Amino acid sequence: MDFDRAISEPFARLLTFHNSFNRSIKVSFGAMSLLSDQRVSGDNSQAFALPTGNEPWGKATHWRDLDGPVKDAAIFLAELGIARAAAAFEDYADGAKGEFDRAGLTQVGAKKDGVSALHGFDAVVGLDTKDLTDLLRLAEFFDTARNCVVHRSNRASAYLASLRADPALEATLGRWPKRIGKWSISLPPVIEGHIVEWRPRHAILASDVFYRAAVQLDRVLVGKMGPAALTRMAAHWCFFADPPVPCRSKHNPDIMIRSQLIDRYKVRDLSVAETIALLRETDQWDAVRRAWTKRYPNGPETALARNRRARKADTKFALGSRSRKGGL
C-alpha cells in the first residue's frame, strides 16, 4: 500500500468544492461581462430586458442603465466567494479534527496555540509552520476579510486595513505562484470603515490560499493516520456515515472499500487482501460485511449480477407458468 499522496475525506470534499468554485466564479462573472458587452453594442434607447427564469419576478426585469448594477453584482459575487471559500476551509478543519479523533490520535499541541487562520488545527496535528510565512499571511488576510464581509457588511476593519498596508503583503503577492501568464497578483485598496471593492479574481485567490493551507494540514494528518486509520475512514464513509459517500463499486464490501481508497482517497498499490487485513486490524471487517448485507440483501449491485438475477427470475416465472398450465 502506497499512501504518500493519500488524502482524507474532508480534503476530498474541499478539493471538489475548490474546483467547482473556480468554475462557478468564472461562469458567473463571464455571464455578467457578456451582458455588459451586449448592452454596449446594442440599442441603448430602450430598456434592456433580463429574463427571470423560474423566479417569481414576472417575465422579465427591465434596465436602462446596467453599468452600475453589473459593477455592484461583481463586487457582491466576490464577497460571497470570499465568505464561501473561508467557510469551506473551516468545514475542512472541523472534518479533519473529526478524522483525527476517530483515528484515536493524540494532540501534539493545544488548539489555542495554533495559527488563528488555520483554526488551531496546525497545533493539534503538529504542522510546522515556520516555512509557511507567505501562506499564513494571505490566509490571515482573507480570514479577516471574510469576517468583515459577514459581520461588517464588507466594511473594512482596522485590522484588515493594517494587514493590507503591511509591505510584506505586497512582497508575498509578488512571490505567489501563478499557473500561467505574466500578470500581477494584486489586492484592492483597503480603508478602515469603507466598503472594499473586491473583484472575482480575489475570491478565486482566497480559495487558492485556503486550498493550499488544507494541503499542508492534510499531508500531516494523513501521515499520522497511516494505512489502518485511512481504511477505517473509508469504511466509515462507505457504510456508517449519514449520509454515506457514494461509491462506484458495489461488487462486495472489500472491493468497495478498496475502490474508495484508490479512487477517492488517492491510495496506490492496494490489493484486496491488504484491504481485508487492514479492516481486520481495525475490527471493522465483520461490521462492514453486516452493513453490506443489510444494504444489498440481493447481492452485488453490478450489471452482471443484476442481469443474472433477472434471468433467474424470468426462469422461475416461466417454470411457474408451465406448472400452473399443467395443473389446469
Side-chain angles (χ1 to χ4, degrees):
M1 179 184 190
D2 181 353
F3 69 105
D4 288 345
R5 297 182 183 179
I7 62 175
S8 68
E9 171 59 30
F11 187 83
R13 295 185 178 193
L14 179 67
L15 178 60
T16 300
F17 162 80
H18 178 64
N19 292 332
S20 175
F21 175 87
N22 284 0
R23 292 192 298 268
S24 297
I25 291 289
K26 291 172 182 177
V27 167
S28 300
F29 185 63
M32 287 190 284
S33 298
L34 179 62
L35 175 64
S36 296
D37 293 344
Q38 289 178 343
R39 181 61 173 166
V40 169
S41 61
D43 181 6
N44 293 328
S45 62
Q46 301 294 325
F48 193 89
L50 289 180
T52 58
N54 295 323
E55 295 303 322
W57 307 326
K59 292 183 178 179
T61 57
H62 296 82
W63 308 79
R64 289 194 176 276
D65 180 11
L66 276 173
D67 291 342
V70 167
K71 179 182 177 181
D72 291 342
I75 295 174
F76 183 64
L77 174 66
E79 291 174 356
L80 292 176
I82 290 171
R84 188 69 177 84
F89 177 75
E90 183 178 2
D91 183 54
Y92 164 77
D94 289 343
K97 182 58 166 61
E99 298 300 339
F100 186 94
D101 292 341
R102 191 177 293 114
L105 303 177
T106 303
Q107 288 191 188
V108 177
K111 187 174 182 179
K112 62 182 176 59
D113 296 330
V115 177
S116 61
L118 302 184
H119 300 275
F121 190 59
D122 54 315
V124 172
V125 80
L127 172 65
D128 187 352
T129 60
K130 66 180 180 182
D131 295 325
L132 302 176
T133 303
D134 285 351
L135 177 61
L136 297 180
R137 183 176 289 115
L138 277 175
E140 184 70 16
F141 177 82
F142 280 116
D143 193 52
T144 306
R146 175 263 180 196
N147 291 338
C148 291
V149 167
V150 173
H151 300 296
R152 295 172 56 90
S153 297
N154 194 26
R155 294 190 307 276
S157 65
Y159 186 50
L160 183 65
S162 69
L163 291 173
R164 179 66 183 92
D166 187 350
L169 185 63
E170 287 295 332
T172 292
L173 294 175
R175 291 189 293 267
W176 195 255
K178 297 186 291 290
R179 184 174 296 179
I180 56 175
K182 297 181 179 180
W183 55 280
S184 299
I185 297 178
S186 61
L187 292 170
V190 177
I191 301 173
E192 181 184 355
H194 289 247
I195 297 293
V196 183
E197 294 193 0
W198 302 106
R199 301 291 295 167
R201 60 179 174 269
H202 300 131
I204 289 178
L205 176 59
S207 184
D208 184 47
V209 169
F210 289 122
Y211 167 78
R212 291 173 184 271
V215 167
Q216 297 294 328
L217 290 167
D218 207 62
R219 187 173 294 133
V220 179
L221 170 63
V222 169
K224 289 183 177 295
M225 290 175 68
L230 278 173
T231 305
R232 183 187 184 94
M233 178 191 74
H236 171 79
W237 288 104
C238 275
F239 292 105
F240 308 116
D242 185 19
V245 172
C247 180
R248 291 185 299 175
S249 174
K250 298 176 178 64
H251 190 274
N252 58 40
D254 43 298
I255 291 180
M256 185 173 178
I257 292 174
R258 176 180 177 271
S259 173
Q260 202 78 323
L261 283 164
I262 292 173
D263 295 338
R264 186 170 179 86
Y265 304 130
K266 315 304 180 187
V267 174
R268 297 178 296 177
D269 300 330
L270 177 65
S271 68
V272 172
E274 287 176 311
T275 304
I276 295 174
L278 289 166
L279 288 169
R280 291 185 185 279
E281 182 180 336
T282 55
D283 295 324
Q284 295 291 295
W285 179 231
D286 291 336
V288 162
R289 287 194 296 175
R290 287 193 298 269
W292 163 268
T293 302
K294 183 177 180 180
R295 187 182 301 178
Y296 305 111
N298 295 322
E301 287 296 319
T302 63
L304 181 63
R306 286 195 297 267
N307 291 338
R308 185 183 296 117
R309 288 196 293 267
R311 287 194 300 271
K312 287 183 178 180
D314 289 342
T315 301
K316 289 181 180 178
F317 178 78
L319 290 174
S321 297
R322 293 173 187 170
S323 175
R324 287 193 294 273
K325 288 179 181 179
L328 291 174

